[in-house]
């Protein structure tokens, strides 16, 4: 601990602040976090950084991120705990032993009391465990047990044992009625006894210079020197007597820590002066201290009657906490006339010289801004603006929402304020204040800075930034220019600052600045590099260091003229207490600053720097598909985890010595990026086969990283890519080849069969075509023969017809001759008989039937078709048609019909009418076309 620095810090604020109001950094762990019983009896921090807590439900283990509970076989309460050489010793009801990590990362309990089971007193509980000269000493009220890592021996004191104190090389045993003994060679030797100490609970004995300091529960403290007991005159005596001391610890620098039953923890310096008091009033979750332990980093761990807490004694940054909630959210803090003024969402408070936090009447409501200008303390309020004078306020402006007020450069008693409704002028003349709205712009103006006496810049939360020009008299605004469209990369949530006469802007995308030559806003690469694109300023102008807050909640003190110096506040406890968007750091004194928080504020010592403790991750356990893997097998195999294909692996990580940390992993063969691990368990699924290097590291919100821890994952290929798969592929290959050969051979056979069938079909087709051709030739020959026969018959028919014609002509001639010479006949009857025979011969029916039959054979049933078309035709008409079909002339038809040529013409005319032929249609053509 920085003793001198701490004393200076306390000298500053103890002149006006009660120690009961301020406290160091406190972190409470509730039952909901560690998920065990409320009572925690003892604590110890191991060499590896883990915290072990004796809890009603068992042994608690904390690695800085997660809590684990390990229960005893009989599930009794654990009263005491000590870690040594990776063994965690615990004491319980009629039971004591040690926990050892097995090959799978789990704590396994080994009982020592079983070695002397018959010697354990009934209802005995082990309340204290110490390491003494390579042995482990267990203490109950009735016995002391010594374990030399082989056997356990019991010592039975004459009186109830209240405490064990390791003083130098001596182990002092304090009893209730028989004084103090020294343990020597497993024997208790009287060391000191006094009537004052009878029936007294001695909490602890320490060596202070050349004297022994004896701390008691209810009688205060005593010095033992030269075998004389003298009460001390320390200021803390009254406190520990009143609140019953239960635990005591002494730091290397002489500071003393008192854990009480009734009123939390007191810390006193080597002179006995109480430096601060931590209780429920200023942040401790519970006032009853059951156990306490101070680790090597000066962190005080407290086991409470209801919870667990840790207090950073080395940290010189202190908190003002208001557990009652009356203070509310703090927006601004300022030191004025030796007092601290605190502006909150409930009003204005004052921390006065009487060590009392008091509310200033009339200030009810939201306080936005507290600023000292020219010796005046302005209070920007929701209801207007006030001047503050000690415990009184005086309203000087009714314009609501005084966000910020700035003095006009080069002008005395003239100020411009940004309010809900725009800019307001403040002017003081002869002790009287006058205010006037500047007109023009009515935009809410939370951020306001001057570029020069007549030019200012304001920022609107949603409409960008504006350049404002004032008249010479500052009565009006002469010009308002919107620069939202002049290079500003985002109009949402801009902030404007004047840094060394540069007008700079912080937007959602980074830093920009105003370039007068271009009259435009351009990127500001220098600040993006120095400050970071996600950081914004939360300190006042000209405060000295520039205070930044980034998206991770880290507070940084930057020095423009000295880049090598940077102070960081990376406290995960305060990140949940920020007034987001309204974070503000005020300068209280030379190197002391105040950060506003919800229900309080934090005093920051500028010279303090967070110690960056980041150790590389330790693999606590490995599970493959939910089954634990032996850690020793991994270590002996160069940290190679063998996985089957499609198996998942879960790595449980820890880095117990690290602060405010989390874990990251990277797989270089897949990506160069680092990925955040959720909490402390890294689960990898769906990993392709191959060998992968898994890199693990610890990181904090400030960007600091630890060295990398490596682990190899050897993922075997799936069965179808391994030996079995290769054999299967070979079998399949030969099978495919065989199948291909079989199918190919079958295809060839099929093709051959198809060729044969095709050939046979072609042969059949050729034969059929040849046969058809032959048949066609035969038919042609037959047709030709029939045609020839038809021609012959037609010729015969014509000849027959001509013969009939000739015959009938001859008979007609004979008939005419007979008619001429009929008178020559003596007998007229004979003449008639001869003429009748001639007529019968001319009209011989049998000859016509023969002619008709022959005619049909030649002309394909000519008469049948003709009669089907024209049913009204007479046999005589059919004869005429037949003769016309034979292309006989009228003079040739007349003898055949035994009529005159004129009669034939008349018959033809009547026949044309019966056939319903038009005049332009020839009878001969019609009959010739009938097939």
């Amino acid at each position: 601990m920085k003793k001198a620095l701490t004393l200076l810090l306390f000298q500053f604020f103890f002149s006006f602040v009660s120690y009961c109001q301020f406290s160091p950094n406190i972190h409470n762990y509730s039952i909901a976090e560690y998920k065990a019983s409320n009572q925690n009896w003892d604590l110890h921090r191991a060499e590896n950084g883990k915290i072990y807590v004796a809890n009603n439900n068992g042994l608690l283990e904390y690695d800085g991120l997660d809590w684990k509970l390990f229960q005893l076989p009989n599930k009794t309460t654990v009263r005491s705990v000590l870690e040594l050489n990776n063994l965690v010793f615990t004491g319980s009801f009629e039971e004591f032993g040690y926990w050892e990590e097995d090959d799978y990362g789990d704590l396994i309990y080994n009982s020592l009391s079983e070695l002397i089971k018959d010697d354990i007193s009934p209802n005995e509980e082990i309340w204290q465990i110490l390491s003494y000269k390579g042995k482990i000493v267990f203490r109950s009220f009735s016995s002391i047990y010594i374990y030399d890592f082989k056997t356990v021996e019991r010592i039975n004191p004459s009186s109830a044992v209240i405490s064990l104190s390791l003083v130098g090389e001596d182990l002092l045993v304090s009893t209730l009625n028989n004084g103090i003994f020294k343990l020597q060679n497993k024997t208790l030797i009287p060391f000191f006894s006094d009537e004052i100490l009878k029936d007294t609970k001695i909490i602890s004995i320490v060596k202070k210079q050349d004297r022994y300091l004896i701390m008691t529960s209810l009688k205060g403290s005593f010095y033992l020197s030269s075998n004389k007991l003298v009460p001390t005159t320390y200021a803390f005596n009254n406190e520990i007597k009143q609140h019953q001391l239960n635990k005591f610890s002494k730091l290397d620098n002489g500071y003393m820590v008192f854990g009480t039953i009734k009123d939390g923890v007191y810390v006193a310096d080597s002179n006995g002066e109480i430096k601060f008091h931590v209780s429920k009033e200023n942040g401790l979750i519970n006032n009853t201290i059951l156990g306490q332990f101070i680790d090597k980093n000066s962190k005080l761990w407290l086991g409470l009657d209801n919870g667990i807490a840790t207090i950073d004694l080395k940290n010189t940054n202190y908190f003002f906490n208001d557990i009652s909630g009356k203070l509310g959210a703090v927006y601004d803090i300022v030191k004025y006339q030796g007092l601290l003024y605190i502006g909150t969402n409930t009003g204005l408070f004052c921390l006065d010289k009487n060590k009392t936090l008091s509310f200033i009447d009339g200030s009810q409501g939201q306080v936005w801004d507290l600023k000292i200008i020219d010796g005046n303390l302005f209070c920007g309020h929701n209801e207007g603006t006030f001047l503050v004078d000690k415990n009184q306020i005086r309203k000087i402006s009714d314009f609501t929402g005084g966000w910020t007020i700035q003095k006009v450069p080069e002008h005395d008693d003239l100020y411009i304020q940004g309010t809900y409704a725009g800019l307001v002028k403040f002017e003081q003349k002869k002790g009287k204040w006058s205010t006037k709205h500047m007109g023009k712009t009515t935009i809410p103006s939370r951020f306001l800075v001057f570029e020069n006496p007549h030019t200012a810049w304001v920022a609107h939360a949603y409409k960008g930034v504006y350049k404002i020009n004032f008249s010479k008299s500052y009565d009006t605004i002469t010009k308002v220019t919107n620069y939202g469209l002049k290079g500003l990369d985002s109009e949402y949530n801009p902030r404007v600052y004047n840094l060394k006469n540069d007008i700079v802007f912080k937007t959602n995308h980074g830093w920009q600045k105003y370039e007068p030559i271009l009259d435009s806003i351009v990127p500001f690469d220098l600040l993006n590099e120095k400050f970071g694109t996600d950081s914004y300023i939360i300190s006042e102008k000209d405060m000295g260091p520039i205070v930044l807050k980034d998206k991770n909640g880290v507070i940084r003190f930057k020095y423009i003229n000295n880049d090598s110096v940077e102070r960081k506040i990376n406290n995960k406890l305060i990140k949940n207490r920020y007034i987001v968007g309204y974070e503000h750091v005020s300068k209280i004194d030379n190197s002391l600053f105040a950060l506003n928080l919800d229900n309080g504020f934090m005093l920051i010592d500028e010279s303090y720097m967070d110690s960056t403790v980041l150790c590389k991750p330790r693999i606590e356990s490995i599970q493959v598909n939910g089954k634990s893997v032996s850690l020793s097998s991994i270590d002996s195999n160069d940290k190679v985890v063998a996985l089957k294909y499609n198996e998942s692996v879960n790595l449980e990580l820890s880095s117990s010595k690290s602060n405010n940390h989390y874990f990251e992993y990277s797989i270089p063969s897949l990506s160069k990026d680092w990925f955040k691990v959720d909490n402390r368990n890294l689960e990898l699924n769906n990993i392709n086969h191959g060998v992968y290097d898994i890199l693990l590291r610890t990181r904090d919100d400030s960007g600091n990283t630890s060295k990398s821890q490596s682990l190899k994952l050897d993922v075997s290929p799936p069965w179808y890519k391994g030996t079995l798969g290769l054999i299967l592929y070979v079998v399949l290959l030969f099978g495919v080849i065989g199948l291909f050969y079989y199918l190919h051979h079958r295809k060839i056979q099929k093709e051959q069969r198809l060729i044969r069938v095709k050939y046979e079909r072609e042969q059949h087709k050729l034969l059929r075509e040849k046969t058809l051709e032959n048949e066609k030739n035969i038919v042609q020959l037959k047709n030709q023969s029939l045609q020839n026969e038809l021609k012959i018959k037609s010729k015969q028919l014509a000849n027959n017809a001509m013969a009939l014609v000739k015959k009938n002509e001859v008979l007609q001639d004979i008939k005419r001759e007979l008619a001429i010479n009929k008178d020559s006949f003596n007998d007229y009857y004979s003449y008639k008989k001869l003429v009748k025979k001639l007529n019968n011969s001319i009209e011989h029916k049998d000859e016509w039937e023969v002619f008709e039959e022959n005619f049909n054979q030649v002309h394909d049933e000519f008469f049948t078709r003709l009669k089907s078309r024209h049913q009204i035709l007479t046999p005589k008409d059919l004869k005429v048609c037949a003769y016309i079909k034979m292309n006989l002339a009228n003079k040739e038809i007349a003898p055949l019909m035994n009529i005159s040529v004129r009669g034939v013409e008349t018959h033809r005319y009547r026949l044309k009418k019966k056939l319903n032929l038009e005049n332009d249609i020839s009878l001969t053509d019609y009959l010739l076309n009938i097939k």
Side-chain angles (χ1 to χ4, degrees), residues 266-501:
Y266 292 85
V267 177
D269 62 14
S270 58
N271 297 319
E273 295 293 331
I274 296 178
K275 290 304 179 183
F276 55 83
H277 170 216
V278 180
S279 65
K280 285 196 69 173
E281 292 182 0
N282 57 359
L284 195 63
I285 195 172
N286 183 262
N287 277 338
T288 301
I289 310 300
L290 299 180
Q292 70 182 39
F293 178 81
I294 299 176
D295 64 21
K296 293 181 179 180
N297 296 321
S298 296
K299 280 192 175 181
L300 173 63
W301 292 87
L302 301 174
L304 308 176
D305 190 59
N306 188 5
I308 301 170
T310 179
I311 301 175
D312 190 354
L313 299 178
K314 187 173 65 174
N315 196 327
T316 55
N317 298 327
Y318 291 88
F319 290 84
F320 181 89
N321 295 312
D322 175 40
I323 305 302
S324 67
K326 295 178 181 180
L327 192 64
V330 175
Y331 281 78
D332 205 355
I333 307 158
V334 67
K335 182 185 177 184
Y336 180 63
Q337 295 179 351
L339 303 177
L340 274 185
Y341 289 91
I342 307 167
T344 76
N345 67 322
T346 61
L348 183 62
F349 292 80
C350 176
L351 205 55
D352 61 24
K353 295 180 180 179
N354 296 323
K355 308 172 185 177
T356 304
L357 180 69
S358 59
F359 179 76
I360 297 180
D361 292 336
S363 68
Q364 294 89 341
Q366 175 72 55
V367 174
W368 292 112
D369 181 47
L370 293 173
K371 187 168 294 183
I372 302 172
I373 305 178
D374 296 337
N376 296 306
L377 176 56
F378 290 86
C379 174
H381 197 279
N382 187 62
E383 301 298 327
T385 302
F386 300 84
L387 281 179
V388 181
D389 183 17
K390 296 183 180 179
N391 289 331
Q392 296 180 347
I393 59 174
R394 177 167 60 94
K395 194 171 189 180
I396 60 173
S397 171
D398 290 324
F399 293 102
T400 59
W403 263 322
T404 180
I405 188 168
Q406 301 290 343
K407 182 179 179 181
V408 178
E410 302 177 10
H411 288 74
D412 293 330
D413 298 328
L414 186 61
Y415 311 90
I416 302 295
Q417 183 184 55
T419 69
Y420 292 166
L423 301 183
V424 176
K425 181 181 76 171
F426 284 71
E427 189 172 14
Q428 184 183 28
K429 292 182 179 179
K430 297 180 180 180
K432 293 185 179 181
W433 288 92
S434 63
T435 59
K436 180 182 178 182
H437 194 279
M438 299 295 289
K440 286 275 186 178
T441 176
T442 58
I443 62 172
S445 305
R446 180 183 165 195
F447 295 95
L448 167 68
V449 296
F450 276 90
E451 180 181 354
N452 55 56
H454 287 88
T455 305
W457 291 81
V458 297
H460 186 280
Y462 306 110
K463 295 184 179 180
V465 294
Y466 296 81
K467 185 177 181 181
I468 310 297
N469 295 105
F470 302 102
S471 64
K472 291 183 179 180
S473 63
Y474 293 93
D475 290 331
T476 60
I477 293 173
T478 60
K479 187 178 180 182
V480 177
T481 307
N482 186 350
Y483 276 76
L485 301 177
K486 290 191 175 186
L488 193 70
D489 56 21
S490 174
E491 294 186 348
Y492 294 97
N493 302 315
R495 296 167 179 255
V496 59
Y497 310 97
N498 186 326
L499 296 181
K500 291 193 172 182
N501 297 321

Side-chain angles (χ1 to χ4, degrees), residues 451-614:
E451 180 181 354
N452 55 56
H454 287 88
T455 305
W457 291 81
V458 297
H460 186 280
Y462 306 110
K463 295 184 179 180
V465 294
Y466 296 81
K467 185 177 181 181
I468 310 297
N469 295 105
F470 302 102
S471 64
K472 291 183 179 180
S473 63
Y474 293 93
D475 290 331
T476 60
I477 293 173
T478 60
K479 187 178 180 182
V480 177
T481 307
N482 186 350
Y483 276 76
L485 301 177
K486 290 191 175 186
L488 193 70
D489 56 21
S490 174
E491 294 186 348
Y492 294 97
N493 302 315
R495 296 167 179 255
V496 59
Y497 310 97
N498 186 326
L499 296 181
K500 291 193 172 182
N501 297 321
D502 276 331
I503 302 300
V504 300
F505 310 92
K506 174 61 182 72
T507 71
N508 290 337
H509 302 293
W511 290 92
Q512 294 183 280
K513 71 174 181 177
Y514 173 64
E515 186 57 63
I517 297 176
L518 301 175
D519 190 30
S520 180
I521 297 175
V522 298
F524 201 169
D525 295 333
L526 178 64
L527 288 192
N528 282 324
E529 180 181 351
K530 286 182 176 293
F531 293 172
T533 58
D534 59 355
S535 297
Y536 53 88
I537 297 174
I538 61 173
S539 56
E540 292 287 347
K541 179 185 176 184
D542 301 328
M543 196 178 75
I546 295 176
V547 185
L548 301 162
K549 173 182 172 290
D550 63 22
K551 66 178 181 180
N552 294 318
V554 179
I555 304 294
R556 292 182 295 159
F557 285 70
K558 297 284 290 187
Y559 299 84
I560 297 295
N561 298 325
N562 191 352
D563 290 338
S564 62
V565 177
E566 181 178 271
R567 312 289 184 187
K568 291 183 180 180
I569 306 296
N570 182 15
N571 189 331
K572 64 181 179 180
L573 302 182
I574 66 174
K575 293 174 185 177
N576 294 328
R577 298 181 61 186
Y578 286 143
I579 314 299
V580 179
Y582 292 88
E583 303 89 343
H584 186 70
V585 170
S586 308
K587 189 168 186 177
I588 303 301
D589 209 347
N590 295 328
S591 62
L592 191 65
F593 300 85
L595 170 66
N596 64 317
L597 299 170
D598 187 28
N599 290 322
F601 58 90
M602 177 182 182
L603 287 176
I604 301 173
D605 175 16
E606 184 183 2
S607 61
Y608 174 79
M609 180 181 294
D610 267 352
S611 58
T612 301
V613 179
L614 289 176

Side-chain angles (χ1 to χ4, degrees), residues 158-334:
S158 58
S159 178
V161 181
I162 301 302
S163 64
L164 301 179
S165 300
L166 191 60
V167 183
E169 296 297 322
D170 297 329
L171 181 61
L172 301 181
V173 180
S174 301
T175 65
L176 184 62
N177 295 310
N178 293 342
I180 304 169
F181 295 82
K182 180 189 292 186
L183 181 64
Q184 202 171 65
N185 297 326
K186 300 179 183 180
T187 303
L188 293 180
I189 299 174
F191 177 75
F192 178 77
S193 179
D194 192 285
E195 288 295 324
I196 299 176
L197 298 181
K198 285 190 176 181
D199 197 23
T200 298
K201 185 177 180 182
I202 298 176
I203 300 300
S204 178
I205 303 174
V206 296
K207 196 74 174 286
K208 191 171 177 62
Q209 297 175 352
D210 58 348
R211 298 178 293 181
Y212 291 96
L213 177 62
I214 300 175
M215 306 300 301
T216 69
S217 175
L218 296 171
K219 294 182 179 180
S221 58
F222 298 88
Y223 269 127
L224 176 61
S225 178
S226 301
N227 210 32
K228 291 183 179 181
L229 192 67
V230 179
T232 69
T233 58
Y234 289 139
F236 58 73
N237 277 323
N238 290 332
E239 304 295 338
I240 63 175
K241 289 178 183 178
Q242 179 182 354
H243 302 298
Q244 190 178 349
L245 180 65
N246 192 42
K247 294 293 177 179
F248 174 81
S249 302
K250 181 175 174 291
L251 282 73
D252 293 338
N253 64 355
Y255 273 50
M256 295 172 282
V257 181
F258 309 90
T260 69
I261 293 295
K262 299 179 180 179
D263 202 20
V265 173
Y266 292 85
V267 177
D269 62 14
S270 58
N271 297 319
E273 295 293 331
I274 296 178
K275 290 304 179 183
F276 55 83
H277 170 216
V278 180
S279 65
K280 285 196 69 173
E281 292 182 0
N282 57 359
L284 195 63
I285 195 172
N286 183 262
N287 277 338
T288 301
I289 310 300
L290 299 180
Q292 70 182 39
F293 178 81
I294 299 176
D295 64 21
K296 293 181 179 180
N297 296 321
S298 296
K299 280 192 175 181
L300 173 63
W301 292 87
L302 301 174
L304 308 176
D305 190 59
N306 188 5
I308 301 170
T310 179
I311 301 175
D312 190 354
L313 299 178
K314 187 173 65 174
N315 196 327
T316 55
N317 298 327
Y318 291 88
F319 290 84
F320 181 89
N321 295 312
D322 175 40
I323 305 302
S324 67
K326 295 178 181 180
L327 192 64
V330 175
Y331 281 78
D332 205 355
I333 307 158
V334 67

Side-chain angles (χ1 to χ4, degrees), residues 647-695:
E647 284 187 331
S648 64
V649 60
N650 184 287
L651 307 178
E652 185 178 315
L653 309 175
S654 72
S655 182
S656 303
K657 291 184 179 180
S658 301
N659 296 327
N660 301 320
H661 65 286
Y662 57 90
F663 301 110
E664 291 183 324
Y665 76 96
S666 177
I667 307 177
S669 59
L670 301 180
S671 173
K672 294 182 180 180
D673 296 331
W674 287 85
F675 304 95
K676 186 176 181 180
V677 177
D678 291 335
N679 205 2
R680 57 180 295 202
N681 290 291
L682 171 60
E683 185 168 359
L684 299 174
N685 299 305
N686 302 320
I687 313 172
N688 201 2
H689 66 92
V691 178
Y692 301 91
D693 284 319
I694 310 297
L695 299 181

